[in-house]
Amino acid sequence: TLMREVIKLIDVYMKCLLALLIDGRIIMSMDSKVSEYVSCVREEINEEWNLVHEDNEMKVYRRELEIDGVALDPLRAQHIVDGVTGHEVCNIFFDKDVRMEWETTLESTKVIEEISQDTLVFHQLIKRVWPTAQRDMCFASHMRPVVRLENDSNPTGVDPWIVVNYSIDHPLATVIKYVRVQFTVCMYCETIIRKTDCPLEELTRNDIASRIVYIAHVNPGGWAPPAVVRVVTKREYPKFLRKFSSYVDKKLQNTKIVW
Ligand code: 6CM
């Protein structure tokens, strides 16, 4: 029995060590992910980008990129949501408790580790797209404010916010039943103030809006014919942006503004 206790202790010790190692790696990679994607957001849209969907303020661009027969097309979308701040939009995108209320492509979402208040690890199962295999994803999700640039076109004094979700390996998500999607997505949101010369505390939801830039770099993994991936993404990203922004709008009506 002593031997069994010793083995148990070693097991617990190894698990703690592994968790520390993984958390350390996630925390170290967050800064570089955030700065990489903030630079992406600030890039100009040039002729390499194709506008694949437009609906009032919403624009969805895609750049064709196929490597070894896999469609890796980078996606970039922009949108303006009236009546909300960038911080509020990011809060909702990050919030694990409301995700299933706006996500239409998921079968399930589960937090498998809480690293800190602003960093969670998720395992999510995507609804199956017939006739391909069902897919899952394991990712770290991190949210923080972004320091504004000196020459910011809209110097309102309110910082933009960002959420970055990026694939990681995690010992609590080692199921091999599904095809693993690898990705990084970012939701970057600035606050627009339409009424100038008015102190923040006097503004109402009619005076504000949020400018969203959403970027997705996705490798669908497994067998995924590029033509099918392109049809699915062209339909699903605008649907997501529509659903998400109307959810944000409804959820925040008649609530106190969070700057
Ligand atoms: O950003 C979105 N959701 C995040 C929170 O749940 C999540 C997003 C991950 C991006 C994963 C994209 C999945 C695309 C899967 C393509 C597989 C196609 C298979 C077709 C096979 C031929 O962190 C909203 C994402 C909205 C996606 C439309």
Side-chain angles (χ1 to χ4, degrees):
T1 50
L2 181 68
M3 201 55 192
R4 213 172 282 148
E5 286 305 310
V6 171
I7 291 173
K8 233 195 251 171
L9 270 175
I10 294 177
D11 186 49
V12 170
Y13 177 74
M14 292 305 280
K15 280 194 180 125
C16 288
L17 210 63
L18 191 67
L20 276 174
L21 201 74
I22 289 166
D23 293 358
R25 272 178 35 205
I26 295 169
I27 289 162
M28 269 163 53
S29 57
M30 268 161 9
D31 283 352
S32 61
K33 275 284 172 192
V34 169
S35 49
E36 182 187 344
Y37 278 81
V38 168
S39 309
C40 260
V41 166
R42 288 175 179 159
E43 273 168 24
E44 295 287 324
I45 296 169
N46 60 20
E47 61 289 343
E48 283 178 44
W49 291 93
N50 303 309
L51 182 64
V52 291
H53 185 91
E54 186 172 14
D55 179 6
N56 289 320
E57 296 288 359
M58 187 207 297
K59 291 187 176 58
V60 181
Y61 298 90
R62 198 166 63 182
R63 199 152 50 82
E64 289 214 355
L65 177 68
E66 203 172 307
I67 296 179
D68 298 331
V70 184
L72 301 176
D73 307 352
L75 183 126
R76 180 189 172 106
Q78 59 194 53
H79 196 17
I80 290 182
V81 186
D82 287 326
V84 298
T85 66
H87 189 182
E88 291 174 324
V89 176
C90 283
N91 270 338
I92 292 184
F93 188 71
F94 182 72
D95 187 351
K96 61 183 176 25
D97 296 326
V98 301
R99 183 154 305 155
M100 292 307 275
E101 290 175 38
W102 57 263
E103 264 281 18
T104 55
T105 55
L106 293 185
E107 200 163 294
S108 64
T109 176
K110 187 176 172 204
V111 173
I112 55 172
E113 193 182 340
E114 278 193 47
I115 292 177
S116 59
Q117 236 184 352
D118 61 14
T119 310
L120 303 174
V121 180
F122 285 89
H123 180 255
Q124 298 191 156
L125 195 55
I126 307 177
K127 285 181 187 159
R128 184 170 173 225
V129 178
W130 188 88
T132 64
Q134 190 163 18
R135 285 167 161 78
D136 72 349
M137 44 181 151
C138 175
F139 62 97
S141 182
H142 173 68
M143 167 163 153
R144 67 163 76 163
V146 178
V147 180
R148 283 171 307 125
L149 287 179
E150 281 296 317
N151 59 353
D152 200 320
S153 56
N154 183 40
T156 56
V158 183
D159 282 334
W161 280 74
I162 191 168
V163 179
V164 189
N165 292 350
Y166 56 100
S167 289
I168 57 162
D169 290 325
H170 193 282
L172 293 177
T174 49
V175 218
I176 40 166
K177 221 172 125 190
Y178 311 105
V179 171
R180 184 64 52 95
V181 176
Q182 299 290 335
F183 70 94
T184 301
V185 303
C186 103
M187 174 65 85
Y188 177 93
C189 307
E190 282 170 3
T191 302
I192 300 169
I193 297 183
R194 297 212 163 102
K195 201 177 189 178
T196 48
D197 302 331
C198 181
L200 286 190
E201 52 283 2
E202 283 172 28
L203 294 170
T204 71
R205 293 206 175 270
N206 294 329
D207 309 318
I208 61 172
S210 175
R211 188 175 83 92
I212 292 177
V213 178
Y214 174 86
I215 292 175
H217 294 149
V218 178
N219 183 335
W223 178 73
V228 181
V229 175
R230 287 182 176 130
V231 168
V232 172
T233 57
K234 191 174 170 172
R235 184 186 63 219
E236 295 299 328
Y237 284 104
K239 195 167 144 196
F240 144 62
L241 285 162
R242 250 192 321 271
K243 179 96 197 253
F244 176 72
S245 22
S246 73
Y247 180 78
V248 166
D249 173 48
K250 276 201 204 87
K251 181 94 182 159
L252 297 172
Q253 271 173 22
N254 306 318
T255 63
K256 194 170 172 289
I257 299 175
V258 177
W259 291 101

